[in-house]
Amino acid sequence: MLKTFAKGGVHPPENKFSANKPIEVLPLPAKVSIPVSQHIGAPATILVAKGDKVKVGQLIAQSAGFVSANIHSSVSGTVESIDPVLDSSGYKRPAITIVVEGDEWEPTIDRSPELKRNIDADAQTIIKKIAEAGIVGLGGATFPSHVKLSVPAGKKADVLIINGVECEPYLTSDHRLMLEKGHELMVGIQLLMRALGVDKAMIGIENNKPDAIKYLTEIAKEYSGITVHALKVKYPQGGEKQLIKALINREVPSGGLPIDIGAVVHNVGTAYAVYEAVQKNKPLFERVVTVTGKNLPKPSNFLVRIGTPVSDLIAAAGGLPDDTAKVVNGGPMMGKAVTDITVPVTKGTSGIIVFPAAESKRKAESVCIRCAKCVSACPMGLEPYLLIRMSQRMMFEKMEHERVLDCMECGSCSFECPANLPLLDYIRLGKTEVNKIIRARKN
Amino acid sequence: MNSIIITAILVLSLLGVALAVVLYLVAQRFKVIEDPRIDLVEAVLPGANCGGCGYPGCRGFAEAFVKTDDIGSMFCPVGGNDTMAKAAEVIGQTAEAKDPMIAVVRCSGSPEYRKRVVEYDGASSCKLATALYSGDTGCQYGCLGLGDCVAVCKFDAIHIDPVTLLPVVDEEKCTACGACVKACPKFIIELRKKGPKGKRIYVSCINKDKGGPARKACQVACIGCGKCVKVCPHEAITLENNLAYIDYNKCKLCRKCVEECPTGAILEINFPPRKPKVEGQTESVENN
Amino acid sequence: MDSKLVVSPSPHVHSGESTSRLMFNVVLALMPAFAVSLYYFGIGALFVTLLSVLSCVLFEYLIQKFILKVQPTITDGSAIVTGLLLAFNVPSNLPWYIVVIGSLFAIGVAKMSFGGLGSNPFNPALAARVFMLISFPVQMTSWPLPIESRLKYIDAVTGPTPLAILKEGLKKGDTISQIADQIPSHLQLFMGVMGGSLGEISALALLIGFAWLLYKKVITWHIPISIFTTIFIFTGILWLVNPEKNADPIFHLLTGGVMIGAIYMATDYVTSPMHPKGMILFGIGIGLLTVIIRVWGAYPEGVSFAILIMNAFVPLINRYVKPKRFGEEVKRNG
């Protein structure tokens, strides 16, 4: 019996078309647009001006506070403009647009392919380097990693959990990274362990990636303290709280953080970026992105420079199929549908999924038949059927009492609902309103 | 047999008397002394309980009204000046007359002028759509047309026009309670002076983009050219963030800006038709 | 690509489950029982079932179209399920007009007057059954004998149900062993060789349907299993105390519509609790009430009443039996 989390969860069709496609380096784009807010927290402060020459890896926007992240140029060339560009929601956000000229890297970056296994840095240096490299959670949450590693006083981490679950259907970027960069990943994990001062790290991988489990289990023997754990396939196991529950059977308290129960979770992509930042001096300016879709000619995994237009990735994967009606940035369960395919890839872009027209629109809603499928699907033990009614009737205080803020928007309820009710839509609305009420109460 | 009936009548009568006494005593004991003027004030209020005054319902307004030192700070938008005069009379004061207001929708981006570039498919809520994305057109400021304002209106005074897909305010029914102003997540609706005989002029756009992108997204957008600012003889128009705004307290309804606006973003309402010579576009949008 | 991009909030995929598919699976799960019914009761069963389904669907359509003036939703299949279950709960020789009146009550009163699918507090088929039982007690309790009545409808040869035999016998003061030769064996009961409502008789066929519903994840095990267990334990205790005055637990499980009630009626989505804990409580309540009605009540069987009574408690159960929230335990400890 494989481990998994106890409550709720669903099994969406996996559709991992690009699982066997090795990571390819995407050719350099002609132009990149690098948004200065690719992370949770304050937008970075722009350091360059129009007309400036920049190199690959050069700091172009500085972290503006503790919860913020540095932004580095992903290409070499000339800054064309510092105007707002469209983000995937269609809003214009400040960004630095650079015209690519050649590929000249900062000389400090170690570009040799050799594995650098020896760890010289101490905990403080590691955290400092991670902050300097602008590393954020690459699983999609984009929370600045150095913040997660700075354990608040009075709390102590005893285990590092590495998220290799990739429970979102379609996505395969973490899977490929684990297969192709196993040793780098292991060194990255050891760096994170040292930064946190823990001697135990657990990698959780869902059982639909047996090759990755086998390979990592094999090489983990060479690294002390790291164990690999196969998990039963169940969405949303990649959720921090669910993964902790599955691996060490502890529950993060409502409204709390994993560190409250002694765990810190990082994504495999983040661990790899940490390796590159600390051992190779390479800031975060490229990442692995899965480009996939049922009718896409060549579903692929690309190593992409941040700021590359999504349309470039789709073109490299064979071009947009004629019947496309929706393009999603991220996974199909939690990703965002984009309004325009020219939006840039950001640090949080784990995948681009192209949906055919037949799967793009929701089916007609009918009435709730109280089948309770949403209640059994909710991994947080909430009652979506009740929350949608309260939200529609604007009973936001009651929603707070029903713990709507515990909702992590995994979408399991809407996925299961036989009446096609927009459960999560209204729960989101309720969350926003409840947050407003709480803020008003504090003032 | 008779004795049973008599006993029953007696018992019930005694019980009735006893309970009446108890009720009376309890009523005395827990009597709430309340300013009688509250009821009188409440009686002259419209009773819509819309909350437009900022108090929880008409009763809440009445309670605050009899206590306040400054009745000038309170206003019932639904009842207007007449109601306020009556209410002030009840407490022996006089209310200053205020200009009647009306909700104004500052977006003219019908599909004719503002192309839809994406299709929204989700719950019909402007609030939700705003959190999700910028809107189904190139303009991130414009009306989404999903009707949050319609849903909150207690007076059936705002409706989505099926052709323009924009909310239209019913002048007769609108009480300027401000519910729609609060409900609109894009902050498109504003309470403005209704004006003499309903005549008013306003910039029907809140697009803060530069002229080029604004015009590209919507033909009737304010492009921030500033022509209206220059032509205005009363200094009523200000230009900020590429967007013109007309101060309704300064505007003298001369209509010079309307003629000047190159995109027809400034609307004039309830004016008699102009003499010919003005280009067609302004006329087509001013008739609503 | 010429069409506009669609933007919608996540999730962007759906399980593909729909109300009509769920209902279709319930209909499918009822088919083995229907086949058994056709085998034992023949044309009567066929006629009553068809009439019941057709009139339920027709009434739903007419009420929605002409009285409520809404888009009729007969395609969701819920009226078909109601019609089937109603038919399965009446004798196969029931006169046609009673079937039609029952359907009208089920759809018109028990379902539509409360707001239609999703809003009715009581299971429509069961409410109609109880209504018919009270209004037409004679017709509703004359049970055609299996096999003998195959080619007959109104003129079917009738006889009592095993539970009625038991109740009568015990009332006269007989002991179980004296009645034993009048009632069918456990195997016969399991296969459905007894008098009874047309769809309730064969436990085997109903259990096959149960397996299908579980496999298709239409229902969960909680309600049926808790009903079975409660009835088994409760009647088992009574039986152990006095085996001469109380029938054995297996007999109780196999007779009087426990199977169809527990598997198909109590699990009705609309009228059952929303959470496993609540479902188990609901099931235990039904089990207890059933046995109490059977052993001490006036009616020989009690499943219908038990379910209806517990239906009334569902809102209360939903209110007070909440799922355990994630992270709740820790908060209390810490």
Side-chain angles (χ1 to χ4, degrees), chain B residues 184-250:
Chain B
C184 179
K186 296 273 190 191
F187 309 105
I188 291 166
I189 308 177
E190 186 196 11
L191 288 184
R192 293 180 69 91
K193 234 190 229 175
K194 205 164 180 177
K197 291 186 191 153
K199 285 184 196 160
R200 57 188 178 273
I201 295 175
Y202 62 94
V203 181
S204 181
C205 181
I206 57 162
N207 190 325
K208 296 188 184 72
D209 282 345
K210 284 180 187 153
R215 184 74 189 250
K216 202 180 146 205
C218 176
Q219 291 173 29
V220 290
C222 170
I223 52 174
C225 63
K227 283 187 178 169
C228 51
V229 180
K230 280 181 210 127
V231 81
C232 181
H234 313 288
E235 292 182 343
I237 308 181
T238 46
L239 189 69
E240 207 178 315
N241 293 327
N242 310 308
L243 177 63
Y245 178 80
I246 303 178
D247 184 338
Y248 51 77
N249 286 321
K250 290 184 186 159

Side-chain angles (χ1 to χ4, degrees), chain A residues 196-234:
Chain A
L196 280 171
V198 299
D199 51 12
K200 204 166 87 179
M202 299 167 90
I203 309 177
I205 305 173
E206 277 191 352
N207 207 28
N208 55 2
K209 296 177 267 292
D211 47 353
I213 297 171
K214 194 166 160 245
Y215 173 61
L216 291 188
T217 312
E218 198 56 43
I219 63 168
K221 290 173 191 157
E222 300 170 32
Y223 302 86
S224 70
I226 303 177
T227 47
V228 178
H229 301 262
L231 299 167
K232 201 177 147 190
V233 180
K234 189 156 94 171

Side-chain angles (χ1 to χ4, degrees), chain B residues 58-229:
Chain B
C58 295
R59 181 86 189 170
F61 181 86
E63 279 166 14
F65 192 75
V66 298
K67 273 187 216 137
T68 182
D69 302 323
D70 174 25
I71 61 164
S73 66
M74 294 177 70
F75 190 73
C76 169
V78 180
N81 288 327
D82 292 351
T83 298
M84 288 309 292
K86 278 187 211 150
E89 207 183 300
V90 170
I91 61 167
Q93 295 188 37
T94 45
E96 249 173 73
K98 284 190 183 170
D99 291 319
M101 308 287 275
I102 188 169
V104 166
V105 179
R106 293 178 295 167
C107 179
S108 303
S110 61
E112 191 190 344
Y113 300 124
R114 188 171 57 137
K115 265 222 190 70
R116 266 51 184 165
V117 291
V118 294
E119 192 181 343
Y120 175 69
D121 182 31
S124 192
S125 152
C126 303
K127 242 183 215 156
L128 191 74
T130 308
L132 177 72
Y133 79 131
S134 58
D136 54 358
T137 67
C139 173
Q140 70 179 65
Y141 304 94
C143 177
L144 298 165
L146 296 171
D148 279 13
C149 49
V150 179
V152 295
C153 184
K154 289 212 170 108
F155 305 96
D156 191 35
I158 191 163
H159 296 282
I160 303 285
D161 185 302
V163 178
T164 63
L165 305 179
L166 295 168
V168 178
V169 178
D170 185 330
E171 299 211 5
E172 297 297 310
K173 289 182 183 164
C174 179
T175 61
C177 72
C180 52
V181 177
K182 279 184 213 139
C184 179
K186 296 273 190 191
F187 309 105
I188 291 166
I189 308 177
E190 186 196 11
L191 288 184
R192 293 180 69 91
K193 234 190 229 175
K194 205 164 180 177
K197 291 186 191 153
K199 285 184 196 160
R200 57 188 178 273
I201 295 175
Y202 62 94
V203 181
S204 181
C205 181
I206 57 162
N207 190 325
K208 296 188 184 72
D209 282 345
K210 284 180 187 153
R215 184 74 189 250
K216 202 180 146 205
C218 176
Q219 291 173 29
V220 290
C222 170
I223 52 174
C225 63
K227 283 187 178 169
C228 51
V229 180

Side-chain angles (χ1 to χ4, degrees), chain A residues 7 251 325 332 373 402 417 428, chain C residues 6 10 12 14 217 325 327:
Chain A
K7 206 189 300 287
E251 279 190 16
K373 282 183 189 291
E402 292 291 339
C417 183
R428 274 202 195 101
Chain C
V6 175
S10 66
H12 305 288
H14 188 263
K217 295 196 172 141
R325 316 291 196 202

Side-chain angles (χ1 to χ4, degrees), chain A residues 338-369:
Chain A
V338 303
T339 54
D340 192 317
I341 59 165
T342 60
V343 297
V345 167
T346 63
K347 290 176 182 176
T349 307
S350 48
I352 299 293
I353 308 170
V354 173
F355 283 97
E359 291 178 31
S360 293
K361 291 192 102 185
R362 297 179 178 183
K363 301 223 172 52
E365 284 169 33
S366 53
V367 295
C368 172
I369 54 167

